C-alpha cells in the first residue's frame, strides 16, 4: 500500500523542509545529522490546567500524545529503512493552553534560542536547527503559531487542530495536519441531524476559531438541508457566571430538544456541570470529535445529562506496539525529572513526600491496577494522527537526503510504517475526511460505552457518504409508521404516545405523523392508509351476473309475449280469442312487451338521457298495460251487470269507448311525466353517503313528487282494476276473465307493495335491481295469469275452442225455461244461474210476444 502525498501537498512539505535545512551551513550539515538527536521537535500541551474545575493538575491526555510522539521517534530511530544512521531527537514545550506561551515557544524554536525544559537521554553536542514543529491541539494556538513561523518556512503539523480556516494557504502557508478539516465535520454533523429528521435544533459553540468557524459551516449546510436553528450561542469556560447562567436559561426555555455542541471537552465539562446543577436534562446532544470520544467527560457526567449523545470521531485505528509502550511507565520514573514525578503522583494518586495521611508513592506501583484517562486507549485514532505526523517529517527528511538536485514527489512507504492505511495531503494540507459515528450508550453498571454506529466518508458521492447501523433504540414509544398518527398518552411526556390507524378516507404518508390527511371526495384511502386511490364506481352493468340475469329475464319475457301475440294472431278467428276482446288483448300484449323492454333502460351507467327515459318509459308503459286490463274488466262487468233485458248500456262501452278509455288513462300519465320532466327531471348522480369507499352511480329523482305521482297513478289504476275484477269473479267460467284478472292484479299489487320498503332499504345498485325485479315480476304475472290459460286451450285443448263450448250448448244439459210474463232482472239472472250447471251458460228466455237472443251471445260474441 502506498502513502500518497499529492504533488501540491507533498511538494510543499518537501520544499519547506529543504528551505529549513538551507539555514544550516553546508560544511557542518552532515556532521550535525550524525552527532545530534535534536532534529525534530515536538510541542505538546501536557501540563495544561482546568482554570475553572481542576487547578494545577496534570493533563494526562496530552501526556499520552507526547508518548505517541516518543513511540514514533523510537520506532524510526530503530529502523534501518528510514533515515539509516541517523537519529531523531525532540524537545517539548508546554503551551499550557496559552497563545502567548505557544507563540513564545515557537519563536524560540525558530530562532534557535530555545530553553530546554526536558532533554533527551543523550545531550546534543550542538544546538540543532529545528526542521518541523508537531502540535498543537487547539486551532487557535495553531493559527497563532502558523502565522509566526510561516515566513521562516518552518512546517507545523497538527494532529488535533480542525478549524477549516487553517486550510487557507495564503494565511498559513506552512501548516499541515493529519486530522480532517472541520468543514467536512460540519457537513457530516448536518447530514447526521437531517438523517434523524431533526429539523428544529439549538446550537452551542466554543467562542474561539474552532467553535465559531465550525458552527458557521454547520449553519450553512443545515439551512441547505432544511434544518432550522432556534438559537446559536457562544461560550468559553472562563466566561462570567452570569453569561453561563444565561446560556442555561436559553436551553431551559427553548422548544428544541436537540443540541449541537461544537466545543472542546474542557468547555463541555463546564456547561455539563451547570446543566446538572440546574436539573436541565432530557436533550439529545450531537457532538464534535473533540469531546464525543473523551472518556473523562463521560465519567464526569454523573447525572447522565449526555446519555445517548451522538457525534463524530476520527476512525478507529491501531498502532502496533504503542499501547505497550505507553503502559511501560517505569522508564519515566527512573529519569528523576520533577515533571515525571508529578506524572507518577497523578497517575497513581499518591505522593512521594506524603503528608496528612496521603498515600505514599513507592515508585514500584503496578499500572495494571489503575483505570483512568491515561490507561484509556479510546483516543487511539488521535495517537495514530501523532504517529503519522512524525512519519511524515521523517519520510520528507529521508527523501531530501537521498535526492541531489531533483526529487520525486511520489513517495512509496512500507505498509508496516503506516499500518496498512493510505494517507495523503491535499493541496490545502488536509488529509481525507473520514469519521466514525459514535453513540453514548449507558451500561448496566452506570457507565457509558462508546459504540460505533455508522461511518461518514467525504470522498464518496453525497447520497452514500453517511451510513448508519446498530443505532440503539432509546425511546418511550416506537415510531408511528405511515398510515397511523400519534396520540399522546394521558399523563405522560410527549415522547410517549400510541399509534392510532388513520380513519377510513384518511391517510398519513410520513413516519410519526401527528394528523391524518382527508382524501378528496372522489378518492379513498387504500388498505394501508398511506395513499389515496380513486374510488370504485358502482352501477348495475350488463357484464356482472346480476345484470346479465335481469337482462336475460327481460328478453325472455319479451320473446314470450311475442309468442303469445303470434298465437293469438294465428288463432284470432277462433271463439276463445274473439270472446276475450281480441283488440284489447293485442294492445295489452304490446304494452307488456314494452314493460319487459323498459327494464333494460335501468341497466348500465346512468346518463342524463337514460335517467329520464327509464322512469318515463316505465310509467307510461305500465299505465297502458293496466288501462287495457281495466278495459277488459269493465267490459266483463258491464256485460253481466245489465239490469234490464232491453238495456243498451253496452252501447256506451263498445269498442270505440274502450279505445278512448285506454287513451284517456294513458294521457293522464303522459301529462304527469311531462310536468315531471319540465319542473325537475331525473339526472345522473354520484352518491357518496351510502358507501364511503365507493361511488354509487344512480339516477336522482329530481322531483320526488313527480316520481311518487307516477307510481301513485299506476297504483290507483291497479287497485281499481283489482276491485272491479274481484266484483266480477263469480261470473260463469267458460269465458269470464275476471277470475284471472283478479289473480294477476293480486300478484301485481303484492309485488309493488313490497317493492317500496325493499327499494328504500336496498343499498346501491341493488335498489335498481329491486325495481327491475318488480317490473319483470308484475309483467310476468299479467302475462301468465291472463294469457297462458287461453294459450293452453288453443294449443292443447282445441276441442274446447268452439262456439258451441263457449256458448255452453252441450248434449247433457239443455234446459229451457218458458216464462209467460216476467221482468228480466238481476235477481232473476242469478236465480237462473243457480238452476243450471255453471258450464251450461246459455239461457233462452221466452216471454209473451218477446223472444230474447241468448244473453251471453249478445254481449260477448
Amino acid at each position: 500500500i502506498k502513502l500518497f502525498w499529492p504533488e501540491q501537498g507533498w511538494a510543499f512539505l518537501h520544499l519547506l523542509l529543504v528551505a529549513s535545512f538551507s539555514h544550516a551551513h553546508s560544511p557542518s550539515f552532515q556532521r550535525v545529522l550524525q552527532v545530534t538527536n535534536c532534529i525534530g521537535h515536538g510541542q505538546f500541551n501536557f501540563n495544561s490546567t482546568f482554570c475553572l474545575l481542576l487547578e494545577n493538575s496534570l493533563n494526562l491526555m496530552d501526556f499520552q500524545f507526547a508518548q505517541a510522539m516518543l513511540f514514533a521517534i523510537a520506532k524510526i530511530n530503530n529502523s534501518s529503512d528510514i533515515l539509516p544512521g541517523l537519529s531523531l531527537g525532540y524537545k517539548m514545550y508546554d503551551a499550557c493552553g496559552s497563545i502567548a506561551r505557544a507563540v513564545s515557544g515557537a519563536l524560540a524554536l525558530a530562532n534557535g534560542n530555545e530553553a530546554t525544559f526536558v532533554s533527551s537521554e543523550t545531550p546534543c553536542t550542538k544546538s540543532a536547527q529545528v526542521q518541523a514543529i508537531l502540535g498543537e491541539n487547539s486551532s487557535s494556538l495553531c493559527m497563532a503559531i502558523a502565522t509566526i513561523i510561516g515566513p521562516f518556512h518552518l512546517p507545523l503539523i497538527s494532529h488535533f487542530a480542525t478549524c477549516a480556516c487553517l486550510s487557507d494557504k495564503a494565511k498559513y502557508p506552512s501548516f499541515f495536519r493529519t486530522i480532517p478539516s472541520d468543514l467536512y465535520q460540519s457537513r457530516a454533523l448536518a447530514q447526521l441531524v437531517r438523517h434523524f429528521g431533526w429539523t428544529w435544533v439549538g446550537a452551542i459553540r466554543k467562542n474561539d476559531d474552532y467553535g465559531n468557524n465550525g458552527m458557521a459551516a454547520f449553519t450553512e449546510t443545515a439551512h441547505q438541508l432544511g434544518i432550522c436553528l432556534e438559537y446559536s450561542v457562544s461560550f468559553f469556560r472562563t466566561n462570567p457566571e452570569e453569561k453561563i447562567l444565561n446560556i442555561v436559561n436559553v436551553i431551559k426555555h427553548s422548544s428544541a430538544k436537540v443540541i449541537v455542541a461544537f466545543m472542546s471537552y474542557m468547555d463541555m465539562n463546564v456547561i455539563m456541570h451547570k446543566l446538572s446543577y440546574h436539573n436541565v436534562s432530557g436533550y439529545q446532544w450531537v457532538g464534535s470529535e473533540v469531546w464525543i470520544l473523551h472518556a473523562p467527560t463521560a465519567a464526569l457526567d454523573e447525572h447522565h445529562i449526555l446519555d445517548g449523545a451522538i457525534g463524530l470521531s476520527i476512525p478507529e485505528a491501531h498502532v502496533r506496539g504503542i499501547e505497550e509502550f505507553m503502559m511501560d511507565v517505569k522508564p519515566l520514573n527512573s529519569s528523576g525529572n520533577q515533571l515525571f514525578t508529578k506524572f507518577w503522583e497523578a497517575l497513581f494518586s499518591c505522593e512521594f513526600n506524603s503528608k496528612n495521611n496521603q498515600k505514599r508513592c513507592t515508585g514500584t506501583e503496578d499500572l495494571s491496577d489503575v483505570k483512568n484517562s491515561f490507561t484509556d486507549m479510546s483516543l487511539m485514532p488521535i495517537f495514530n494522527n501523532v504517529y503519522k505526523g512524525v512519519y511524515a517529517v521523517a519520510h520528507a527528511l529521508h527523501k531530501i537526503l537521498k535526492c541531489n538536485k531533483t526529487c520525486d514527489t511520489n513517495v512509496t512507504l512500507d505498509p508496516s510504517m503506516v499500518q496498512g492505511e493510505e494517507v495523503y495531503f491535499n493541496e490545502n494540507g488536509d488529509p481525507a475526511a473520514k469519521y466514525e459515528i459514535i453513540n453514548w450508550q449507558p451500561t448496566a453498571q452506570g457507565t457509558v460505552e462508546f459504540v460505533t454506529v455508522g461511518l461518514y466518508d467525504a470522498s464518496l458521492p453525497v447520497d452514500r457518504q453517511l451510513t448508519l447501523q446498530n443505532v440503539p433504540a432509546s425511546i418511550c414509544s416506537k415510531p408511528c409508521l405511515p398510515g397511523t398518527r400519534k396520540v399522546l398518552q394521558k399523563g405522560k411526556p410527549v415522547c410517549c404516545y400510541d399509534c392510532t390507524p388513520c380513519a377510513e378516507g384518511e391517510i398519513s404518508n410520513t413516519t410519526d405523523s401527528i394528523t391524518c390527511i382527508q382524501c378528496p371526495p372522489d378518492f379513498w384511502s387504500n388498505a394501508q392508509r398511506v395513499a389515496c386511490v380513486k374510488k370504485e364506481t358502482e352501477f348495475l352493468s350488463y357484464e356482472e351476473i346480476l345484470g346479465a340475469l335481469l337482462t336475460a329475464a327481460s328478453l325472455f319475457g319479451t320473446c314470450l309475449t311475442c309468442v303469445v301475440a303470434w298465437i293469438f294472431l294465428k288463432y284470432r278467428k277462433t271463439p276463445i280469442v274473439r270472446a276475450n276482446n281480441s283488440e284489447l288483448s293485442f294492445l295489452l300484449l304490446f304494452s307488456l312487451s314494452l314493460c319487459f323492454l323498459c327494464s333494460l333502460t335501468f341497466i348500465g351507467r346512468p346518463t342524463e338521457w337514460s335517467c329520464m327515459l327509464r322512469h318515463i318509459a316505465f310509467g307510461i308503459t305500465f299505465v297502458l298495460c293496466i288501462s287495457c286490463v281495466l278495459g277488459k274488466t269493465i267490459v266483463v262487468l258491464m256485460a253481466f251487470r245489465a239490469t234490464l233485458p232491453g238495456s243498451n248500456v253496452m252501447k256506451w262501452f263498445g269498442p270505440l269507448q274502450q279505445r278512448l278509455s285506454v287513451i284517456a288513462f294513458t294521457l293522464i300519465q303522459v301529462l304527469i311525466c311531462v310536468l315531471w320532466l319540465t319542473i325537475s327531471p331525473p339526472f345522473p348522480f354520484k352518491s357518496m353517503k351510502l358507501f364511503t369507499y365507493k361511488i354509487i352511480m344512480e339516477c336522482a329523482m329530481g322531483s320526488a313528487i313527480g316520481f311518487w305521482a307516477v307510481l301513485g297513478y299506476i297504483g290507483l289504476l291497479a287497485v281499481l282494476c283489482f276491485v272491479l275484477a274481484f266484483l266480477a269473479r263469480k261470473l260463469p267460467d267458460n269465458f269470464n276473465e275476471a277470475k284471472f284478472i283478479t289473480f294477476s292484479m293480486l300478484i301485481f299489487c303484492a309485488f309493488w307493495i313490497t317493492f317500496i320498503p325493499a327499494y328504500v332499504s336496498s343499498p346501491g345498485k341493488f335498489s335498481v335491481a329491486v325495481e327491475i325485479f318488480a317490473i319483470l315480476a308484475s309483467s310476468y304475472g299479467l302475462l301468465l295469469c291472463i294469457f297462458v290459460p287461453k294459450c293452453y286451450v288453443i294449443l292443447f285443448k282445441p276441442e274446447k275452442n268452439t262456439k258451441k263450448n263457449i256458448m255452453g250448448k252441450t248434449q247433457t244439459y239443455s234446459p229451457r225455461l218458458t216464462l209467460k210474463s216476467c221482468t228480466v232482472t238481476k235477481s232473476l239472472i242469478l236465480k237462473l244461474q243457480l238452476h243450471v250447471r255453471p258450464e251450461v251458460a246459455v239461457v233462452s228466455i221466452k216471454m209473451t210476444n218477446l223472444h230474447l237472443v241468448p244473453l251471453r251471445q249478445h254481449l260477448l260474441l
Side-chain angles (χ1 to χ4, degrees):
I1 300 177
K2 293 183 178 180
L3 181 63
F4 290 107
W5 315 105
E7 184 173 347
Q8 299 91 335
W10 161 255
F12 198 53
L13 177 60
H14 186 192
L15 177 62
L16 289 172
L17 289 172
V18 171
S20 179
F21 268 104
S22 67
H23 288 290
H25 298 291
S26 298
S28 61
F29 174 63
Q30 187 66 25
R31 182 175 61 85
V32 170
L33 288 177
Q34 291 174 345
V35 300
T36 185
N37 62 347
C38 302
I39 295 176
H41 286 67
Q43 181 179 7
F44 291 89
N45 176 19
F46 61 86
N47 196 27
S48 178
T49 59
F50 291 100
C51 300
L52 292 179
L53 298 178
L54 299 175
E55 188 68 32
N56 196 28
S57 62
L58 191 67
N59 188 336
L60 294 179
M61 184 187 73
D62 282 347
F63 202 99
Q64 286 178 312
F65 296 159
Q67 287 285 81
M69 186 196 75
L70 296 179
F71 172 76
I73 291 175
K75 193 171 182 180
I76 292 171
N77 289 339
N78 292 328
S79 173
S80 59
D81 297 326
I82 182 172
L83 296 176
L86 301 178
S87 296
L88 291 180
Y90 59 89
K91 285 188 179 293
M92 298 184 185
Y93 282 80
D94 182 9
C96 197
S98 167
I99 293 179
R101 294 189 62 174
V103 171
S104 175
L107 287 174
L109 289 171
N111 294 328
N113 297 324
E114 65 275 13
T116 302
F117 295 111
V118 180
S119 61
S120 58
E121 294 181 2
T122 304
C124 298
T125 58
K126 180 179 179 180
S127 180
Q129 177 68 34
V130 175
Q131 305 305 323
I133 300 177
L134 300 179
E136 229 285 345
N137 295 351
S138 167
S139 295
S140 296
L141 269 62
C142 283
M143 292 170 64
I145 297 172
T147 302
I148 297 299
I149 67 174
F152 297 98
H153 305 288
L154 189 60
L156 172 63
I157 304 176
S158 175
H159 56 281
F160 218 1
T162 58
C163 180
C165 56
L166 288 167
S167 298
D168 187 355
K169 284 301 174 187
K171 292 184 178 180
Y172 314 106
S174 62
F175 178 78
F176 294 84
R177 54 184 160 193
T178 54
I179 191 170
S181 165
D182 277 340
L183 176 65
Y184 302 104
Q185 180 179 201
S186 300
R187 293 174 179 174
L189 287 175
Q191 290 188 35
L192 181 65
V193 171
R194 188 65 184 88
H195 174 84
F196 288 107
W198 299 328
T199 57
W200 184 243
V201 301
I204 305 178
R205 66 187 185 277
K206 183 180 180 181
N207 192 14
D208 64 356
D209 297 294
Y210 166 75
N212 292 330
N213 286 279
M215 187 56 68
F218 171 83
T219 303
E220 180 182 357
T221 306
H223 287 166
Q224 294 172 359
L225 297 177
I227 302 170
C228 299
L229 270 67
E230 183 179 7
Y231 59 86
S232 179
V233 293
S234 61
F235 165 76
F236 197 77
R237 59 184 178 275
T238 59
N239 285 148
E241 184 76 10
E242 294 77 13
K243 185 171 183 179
I244 299 176
L245 289 178
N246 182 57
I247 293 175
V248 172
N249 288 327
V250 169
I251 297 173
K252 197 173 183 178
H253 296 95
S254 66
S255 59
K257 298 301 179 182
V258 178
I259 303 175
V260 180
F262 226 101
M263 306 169 71
S264 70
Y265 64 87
M266 293 177 287
D267 300 278
M268 196 67 203
N269 291 341
V270 174
I271 197 68
M272 179 181 64
H273 175 73
K274 291 299 180 184
L275 291 174
S276 300
Y277 182 79
H278 291 277
N279 196 26
V280 179
S281 61
Y283 292 88
Q284 173 63 52
W285 290 85
V286 180
S288 57
E289 90 292 341
V290 177
W291 67 269
I292 198 66
L293 206 63
H294 192 244
T297 299
L300 289 172
D301 187 17
E302 297 178 353
H303 294 85
H304 304 282
I305 300 297
L306 304 179
D307 278 3
I310 193 168
L312 305 178
S313 73
I314 307 303
E316 183 178 355
H318 179 70
V319 181
R320 189 166 53 250
I322 193 172
E323 185 173 356
E324 293 78 5
F325 180 87
M326 298 176 77
M327 293 296 102
D328 186 10
V329 295
K330 290 184 178 180
L332 300 178
N333 184 36
S334 62
S335 65
N337 188 279
Q338 182 181 1
L339 179 61
F340 293 135
T341 300
K342 296 179 70 174
F343 162 74
W344 195 269
E345 292 177 344
L347 186 61
F348 295 102
S349 301
C350 61
E351 291 183 3
F352 283 100
N353 299 318
S354 177
K355 296 179 181 180
N356 300 324
N357 297 323
Q358 179 69 24
K359 180 182 177 183
R360 180 178 294 274
C361 295
T362 63
T364 60
E365 284 80 5
D366 187 3
L367 196 60
S368 61
D369 298 331
V370 177
K371 288 186 179 181
N372 54 28
S373 59
F374 185 79
T375 60
D376 178 27
M377 293 292 112
S378 61
L379 289 177
M380 185 63 73
I382 311 302
F383 303 160
N384 186 44
N385 287 345
V386 177
Y387 180 84
K388 289 187 293 186
V390 175
Y391 263 92
V393 174
H395 277 283
L397 292 174
H398 184 82
K399 187 67 176 179
I400 292 171
L401 295 175
K402 289 183 65 176
C403 70
N404 296 322
K405 295 182 179 179
T406 60
C407 293
D408 185 12
T409 58
N410 290 327
V411 181
T412 302
L413 298 180
D414 188 333
S416 64
M417 295 180 181
V418 293
Q419 304 298 313
E421 182 181 1
E422 185 179 76
V423 184
Y424 64 90
F425 291 140
N426 61 17
E427 63 275 9
N428 296 323
D430 298 328
K434 293 182 180 180
Y435 298 97
E436 287 182 347
I437 301 172
I438 302 298
N439 180 233
W440 289 26
Q441 296 185 12
T443 63
Q445 293 74 28
T447 59
V448 172
E449 182 181 0
F450 300 133
V451 180
T452 300
V453 295
L455 297 171
Y456 178 86
D457 189 349
S459 64
L460 297 176
V462 176
D463 58 336
R464 294 167 47 198
Q465 289 177 349
L466 182 65
T467 56
L468 285 169
Q469 68 276 343
N470 301 326
V471 178
S474 180
I475 53 178
C476 176
S477 302
K478 292 183 178 181
C480 291
L481 299 177
T484 62
R485 63 182 180 90
K486 296 197 297 186
V487 177
L488 297 181
Q489 296 178 359
K490 187 176 181 180
K492 292 188 177 181
V494 294
C495 56
C496 299
Y497 49 82
D498 296 320
C499 297
T500 302
C502 291
E504 291 185 347
E506 297 180 346
I507 64 164
S508 66
N509 49 16
T510 58
T511 302
D512 282 338
S513 176
I514 59 175
T515 58
C516 294
I517 305 172
Q518 182 73 39
C519 289
D522 289 350
F523 289 80
W524 192 248
S525 56
N526 60 1
Q528 295 76 28
R529 307 285 197 273
V530 296
C532 290
V533 295
K534 198 162 184 66
K535 286 183 179 179
E536 173 190 356
T537 301
E538 183 181 88
F539 56 89
L540 187 62
S541 65
Y542 294 100
E543 289 77 13
E544 59 182 300
I545 296 177
L546 181 60
L549 290 176
L550 292 175
T551 302
S554 174
L555 295 177
F556 179 75
T558 305
C559 294
L560 187 61
T561 305
C562 293
V563 170
V564 173
W566 177 79
I567 294 174
F568 267 56
L569 182 63
K570 183 177 180 180
Y571 297 96
R572 63 185 179 278
K573 295 183 180 180
T574 60
I576 198 169
V577 175
R578 296 180 62 192
N580 285 278
N581 200 331
S582 59
E583 187 173 339
L584 285 181
S585 296
F586 282 111
L587 187 59
L588 176 58
L589 288 171
F590 172 72
S591 62
L592 281 174
S593 64
L594 293 181
C595 289
F596 282 117
L597 291 176
C598 80
S599 64
L600 298 178
T601 62
F602 288 82
I603 305 175
R605 178 182 287 273
T607 63
E608 186 176 354
W609 285 103
S610 68
C611 287
M612 291 189 292
L613 178 63
R614 64 173 60 173
H615 290 100
I616 301 307
F618 158 70
I620 293 176
T621 55
F622 259 79
V623 165
L624 179 60
C625 178
I626 301 301
S627 298
C628 294
V629 176
L630 183 61
K632 293 171 69 67
T633 306
I634 293 175
V635 168
V636 173
L637 192 62
M638 283 191 164
F640 285 94
R641 298 299 177 181
T643 57
L644 294 172
S647 175
N648 57 356
V649 68
M650 290 303 300
K651 174 177 68 174
W652 299 106
F653 204 72
L656 178 62
Q657 288 78 10
Q658 295 169 19
R659 298 188 196 100
L660 292 176
S661 64
V662 171
I663 294 174
F665 287 138
T666 306
L667 285 178
I668 294 174
Q669 183 74 307
V670 171
L671 179 61
I672 295 174
C673 292
V674 170
L675 291 175
W676 184 13
L677 295 178
T678 303
I679 298 172
S680 181
F683 59 90
F685 174 69
K686 293 181 179 180
S687 176
M688 302 181 187
K689 295 182 178 179
L690 188 60
F691 297 100
T692 55
Y693 58 90
K694 60 183 177 181
I695 300 175
I696 305 298
M697 296 294 297
E698 59 184 14
C699 288
M701 298 307 171
S703 172
I705 296 177
F707 173 72
W708 291 110
V710 169
L711 283 184
Y713 184 64
I714 295 174
L716 177 64
L717 294 181
V719 171
L720 179 61
C721 185
F722 172 74
V723 171
L724 294 178
F726 181 79
L727 294 176
R729 71 188 186 284
K730 292 185 178 181
L731 294 179
D733 298 334
N734 269 20
F735 52 88
N736 181 18
E737 290 185 299
K739 184 176 180 181
F740 300 114
I741 292 174
T742 302
F743 190 64
S744 66
M745 296 314 300
L746 182 63
I747 296 175
F748 183 92
C749 293
F751 275 119
W752 284 102
I753 290 173
T754 57
F755 157 77
I756 296 175
Y759 178 81
V760 172
S761 61
S762 297
K765 62 183 179 182
F766 296 103
S767 62
V768 180
V770 168
E771 190 169 0
I772 296 174
F773 180 78
I775 293 173
L776 295 177
S778 55
S779 300
Y780 273 111
L782 292 173
L783 179 65
L784 297 177
C785 292
I786 295 177
F787 292 100
V788 168
K790 295 173 179 57
C791 290
Y792 175 77
V793 172
I794 292 172
L795 297 176
F796 301 105
K797 300 289 183 179
E799 68 276 7
K800 293 185 179 182
N801 190 11
T802 61
K803 183 177 180 182
K804 181 179 179 180
N805 185 66
I806 297 300
M807 294 295 295
K809 295 180 178 181
T810 63
Q811 297 296 327
T812 307
Y813 296 96
S814 182
R816 296 178 64 88
L817 297 176
T818 302
L819 302 176
K820 294 182 179 180
S821 177
C822 71
T823 301
V824 180
T825 64
K826 176 180 178 181
S827 59
L828 177 62
I829 294 176
L830 292 176
K831 290 177 180 179
L832 290 173
Q833 291 178 354
L834 294 176
H835 288 82
V836 297
R837 291 179 58 189
E839 295 84 356
V840 183
V842 179
V843 178
S844 295
I845 302 175
K846 288 186 178 181
M847 294 184 296
T848 305
N849 301 322
L850 178 63
H851 178 75
L852 297 180
V853 178
L855 182 60
R856 297 181 183 176
Q857 180 182 358
H858 172 76
L859 293 177
L860 300 180
L861 302 181

